[in-house]
């Protein structure tokens, strides 16, 4: 699937992102898992980036897919803690004031922590493990992060950015509200792209917060961003008459709660994937989609 209604503009922003990242074009291509020749053709405007390539480029350089595409559509609410990066795109606040190479090193640490936390769990992973996976020293990790608590927060932010980029790249061309909601839920389910890893980070966050004495305002704002995205999708469907009338906030709260509960059952083996999908689609059909009028 190719994206970007203005491929020349996307190519220009992609070149800016690579230059600002401090990485060579070859290094970016390797990080994207893309042949360097194909990347060169896309950067010159002779080939369109696919949706997956936009996601990979955004992840490698630290900007967002929304900025790369020049997309102002409200298909997804932007996460908090983003700023205008050196390339003119959005990058995490944590990169503020860092050189290109420092920002690259920070992102490599976060990606390594995200992967290890998602696979082995927060408690089982050591700073030394993250340093080894990132290819730097433990002191290098501590230069950017005080400890594992900061790293798990950074890993959660990374998951949210991945979800935001994915939504922008894969939802912008979906105009039908029912199809958009279906794709949104599919992408954010444990069965979707990066689903198990992202859900592992969320589950560990829920567990840690359940034992905390006070709620975490940052988590609340991150989850609110997801709820607002679902609510905006529901409201778009209500405006076209495709979805039932009602309180869009309450409908979004209920739908995200159903997804959370079913997702936990899937990840813990209570449900299998087909049953998970059947239950989720059944809820949407009963509670969100407007039934066809009888003749």
């Amino acid at each position: 699937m190719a994206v970007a209604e203005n491929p020349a503009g996307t190519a220009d922003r992609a070149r800016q992102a690579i230059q600002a990242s401090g990485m060579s074009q070859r290094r970016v291509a390797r990080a994207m898992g893309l042949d360097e020749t194909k990347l060169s053709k896309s950067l010159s405007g002779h080939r369109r980036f696919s949706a997956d390539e936009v996601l990979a480029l955004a992840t490698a350089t630290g900007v967002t897919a929304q900025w790369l595409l020049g997309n102002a559509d409200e298909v997804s609410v932007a996460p908090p803690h983003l700023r205008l990066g050196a390339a003119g795109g959005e990058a995490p606040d944590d990169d503020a004031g860092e050189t290109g190479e420092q920002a690259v090193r920070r992102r490599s640490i976060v990606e390594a922590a995200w992967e290890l936390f998602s696979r082995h769990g927060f408690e089982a992973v050591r700073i030394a493990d993250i340093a080894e996976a990132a290819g730097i020293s433990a002191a290098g990790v501590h230069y950017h992060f005080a400890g594992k608590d900061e790293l798990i927060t950074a890993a959660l932010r990374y998951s949210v950015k991945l979800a935001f980029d994915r939504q922008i790249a894969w939802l912008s061309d979906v105009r039908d509200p029912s199809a958009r909601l279906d794709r949104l839920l599919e992408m954010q389910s444990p069965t979707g792209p990066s689903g198990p890893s992202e859900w592992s980070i969320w589950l560990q966050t829920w567990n840690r917060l359940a034992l905390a004495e006070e709620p975490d305002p940052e988590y609340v704002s991150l989850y609110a961003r997801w709820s607002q995205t679902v609510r905006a999708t529901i409201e778009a469907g209500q405006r076209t008459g495709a979805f039932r009338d009602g309180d869009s906030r309450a409908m979004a709260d209920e739908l995200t709660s159903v997804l959370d509960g079913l997702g936990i059952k899937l990840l813990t083996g209570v449900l299998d994937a087909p049953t998970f999908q059947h239950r989720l689609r059944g809820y949407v059909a009963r509670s969100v989609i407007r039934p066809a009028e009888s003749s």
Side-chain angles (χ1 to χ4, degrees):
M1 175 183 175
V3 296
E5 295 179 0
N6 181 7
T10 296
D12 180 61
R13 284 184 288 272
R15 290 192 298 270
Q16 293 180 53
I18 293 172
Q19 182 178 9
S21 74
M23 296 189 291
S24 67
Q25 184 174 310
R26 175 172 297 179
R27 185 175 175 185
V28 170
R30 186 166 60 249
M32 293 173 63
L34 183 66
D35 181 81
E36 189 178 356
T37 301
K38 288 185 177 180
L39 178 58
S40 295
K41 289 181 178 179
S42 295
L43 292 174
S44 65
H46 293 100
R47 173 183 177 274
R48 289 194 175 197
F49 285 102
S50 70
D52 285 337
E53 289 164 1
V54 168
L55 297 180
L57 181 59
T59 300
T61 60
V63 300
T64 65
Q66 185 177 49
W67 180 78
L68 284 172
L69 296 174
N71 192 326
D73 288 349
E74 296 298 325
V75 299
S76 179
V77 176
H81 306 294
L82 289 178
R83 66 173 179 85
L84 287 179
E90 291 173 335
D93 272 333
D94 293 336
D95 287 354
E98 294 183 336
T99 66
E101 191 59 38
Q102 287 174 331
V104 170
R105 190 173 295 115
R106 168 183 273 275
R107 287 197 296 274
S108 71
I109 294 169
V110 173
E111 290 170 6
W114 181 83
E115 180 68 27
L116 290 172
F117 288 152
S118 67
R119 289 173 54 195
H120 304 296
F122 176 81
E123 297 297 338
V125 176
R126 304 170 303 164
I127 292 292
D129 300 324
I130 297 170
E132 181 179 3
I136 63 174
S137 66
V141 175
H142 283 297
Y143 175 82
H144 292 278
F145 298 94
K148 284 170 58 179
D149 285 341
E150 284 192 5
L151 277 164
I152 191 65
T153 298
L156 180 61
R157 291 181 182 177
Y158 180 71
S159 284
V160 172
K161 181 183 181 297
L162 287 176
F164 175 65
D165 287 338
R166 190 166 57 241
Q167 290 158 17
I168 292 296
W170 285 101
L171 292 177
S172 297
D173 65 333
V174 181
R175 301 304 174 191
D176 177 70
S178 297
R180 177 177 286 189
L181 181 61
D182 186 60
R183 182 177 289 185
L184 176 63
L185 295 176
E186 178 184 359
M187 289 189 304
Q188 296 310 125
S189 296
T191 55
S194 300
S197 295
E198 290 180 22
W199 273 73
S200 175
I201 297 296
W202 279 104
L203 282 172
Q204 292 177 65
T205 299
W206 292 338
N207 181 61
R208 296 176 72 236
L209 291 178
L211 300 175
E213 294 182 359
E214 297 181 357
D216 183 343
E218 177 162 357
Y219 165 78
V220 173
S221 67
L222 289 172
Y223 197 93
R225 170 258 159 200
W226 161 238
S227 294
Q228 289 163 10
T229 296
V230 175
R231 182 182 179 185
T233 305
I234 290 173
E235 289 174 347
Q238 289 176 328
R239 287 193 294 270
T240 66
F243 294 166
R244 295 175 181 270
D245 295 329
D247 183 340
S248 61
R249 182 189 297 274
M251 293 171 71
D253 284 343
E254 291 168 5
L255 179 52
T256 54
S257 297
V258 169
L259 176 59
D260 290 344
L262 291 175
I264 291 171
K265 287 187 175 182
L266 174 62
L267 292 175
T268 55
V270 176
L271 294 179
D272 57 24
T275 304
F276 163 84
Q277 293 168 348
H278 179 72
R279 296 282 187 268
L280 183 58
R281 288 172 179 161
Y283 176 82
V284 171
R286 292 190 305 273
S287 303
V288 179
I289 304 297
R290 184 186 294 276
E293 295 183 2
S294 303
S295 55

